Amino acid sequence: MATARSRPEPARGRFPVLALTAVGVLVLGACGTGPEPALDGTITTPGTAPASSTTASTADGRMATTKLPVYWVGRADGEERLFREFRDASEAAAAVDPIAAAATLMTGATPEDPDYRTLWFPVDRVGASTSPGGTITVDLPSEAFRPDLDDREVRLALQQLAHTVTATAATAGLLPEGSEAEVVVLVDGRPDEEVFGSVRLDGPLRPDEGMAAPIWLDEPRQDERSEGTLTLSGRALDGVRGCRWTVAGPDGQRVSSGAAAVVPRGDGTVGFRAELELEPGEYVVTVVGRDAEGGTVRDDKDVEVLAG
């Protein structure tokens, strides 16, 4: 069951009255080979940030836009799971392509949501390459691997990496159509190294969807500032039922809520979306559902709506 996030009582003024409830709920149409030498370098064209969840690259795989899916560890279903944020690649100035940039952010960036964390030590040098068969090779410095993790955290850390780089490769169009991505991890250019104190990297990693959170918000982003209309969107696992969104003031008073209409994406997840018209003020936006066991799962973000 996803844990509700305990937030300190903010020193804020009285919450303003909601002018309009949701103006509508819309649905989203979309919730092999051996190791190769890795590369490192610099981002070539950071560009302007597109809409969230959109990333593109040039024909040679170098960065063309700046939104990258980065996975973090947070609490859900009473245990730690993986949550996704879209981050600006320009934060990872030492990476040459989307995959390297995303992996660099995963190790060293601070999650926007304070309830998330990373299980890696920060590094500013990550190499990456992809093969025609869909194998992603990531070359990390040895100092990226923390020696203080327990067995569950080690598994989460490796899945944090696998989800981040495979999602980035897929979003950037760097994987062959129909391929099942796998990740080969090199350490300082060497395969089959022992990391995290006792784990040998003797085979490729594949994303385990069972490690992902049952539900999360892609929009709004944590501490987002919006003018009037607030977009709410995200994804849930296909087994999550009864998805609803709520908007509340800093004092917890609910001011708007509604059902989140969902559409299957064909990958075991569903997408949801809503457009909300709100008075200027500070809000907590929450999406809630029930998992297959009937437990409550949720994600929430703090946002501010400015005068339009």
Side-chain angles (χ1 to χ4, degrees), residues 128-162:
S129 65
T130 56
S131 77
T135 297
I136 303 166
T137 301
V138 179
D139 188 0
L140 291 162
S142 58
E143 56 265 28
F145 299 87
R146 291 174 48 178
D148 59 339
L149 305 182
D150 60 29
D151 291 345
R152 164 100 181 153
E153 289 173 324
V154 167
R155 185 183 175 202
L156 269 170
L158 292 173
Q159 284 296 311
Q160 187 186 356
L161 175 64

Side-chain angles (χ1 to χ4, degrees), residues 19-20 225-230 276-281 283 304-308:
L20 297 172
R225 305 178 77 187
S226 176
E227 294 186 359
T229 300
L230 185 70
L276 312 178
E277 292 286 344
L278 302 172
E279 285 278 1
Y283 301 89
E304 182 178 4
V305 174
L306 308 175

Side-chain angles (χ1 to χ4, degrees), residues 174-278:
L174 299 178
L175 294 177
E177 185 175 355
S179 65
E180 293 188 11
E182 61 181 19
V183 182
V184 172
V185 182
L186 306 182
V187 182
D188 294 322
R190 300 185 299 271
D192 301 329
E193 287 292 285
E194 189 173 279
V195 296
F196 296 120
S198 60
V199 176
R200 185 164 299 281
L201 298 170
D202 55 0
L205 305 174
R206 294 178 179 85
D208 179 358
E209 293 306 320
M211 303 296 284
I215 194 169
W216 67 54
L217 285 164
D218 286 325
E219 297 180 280
R221 294 168 65 166
Q222 176 68 24
D223 297 325
E224 180 175 316
R225 305 178 77 187
S226 176
E227 294 186 359
T229 300
L230 185 70
T231 298
L232 181 155
S233 70
R235 83 92 177 97
L237 297 181
D238 203 16
V240 175
R241 297 288 181 262
C243 293
R244 296 187 60 84
W245 53 265
T246 63
V247 180
D251 58 1
Q253 179 182 356
R254 181 183 299 181
V255 297
S256 185
S257 64
V262 298
V263 160
R265 292 173 166 174
D267 61 355
T269 69
V270 297
F272 54 85
R273 182 181 177 91
E275 300 278 334
L276 312 178
E277 292 286 344
L278 302 172

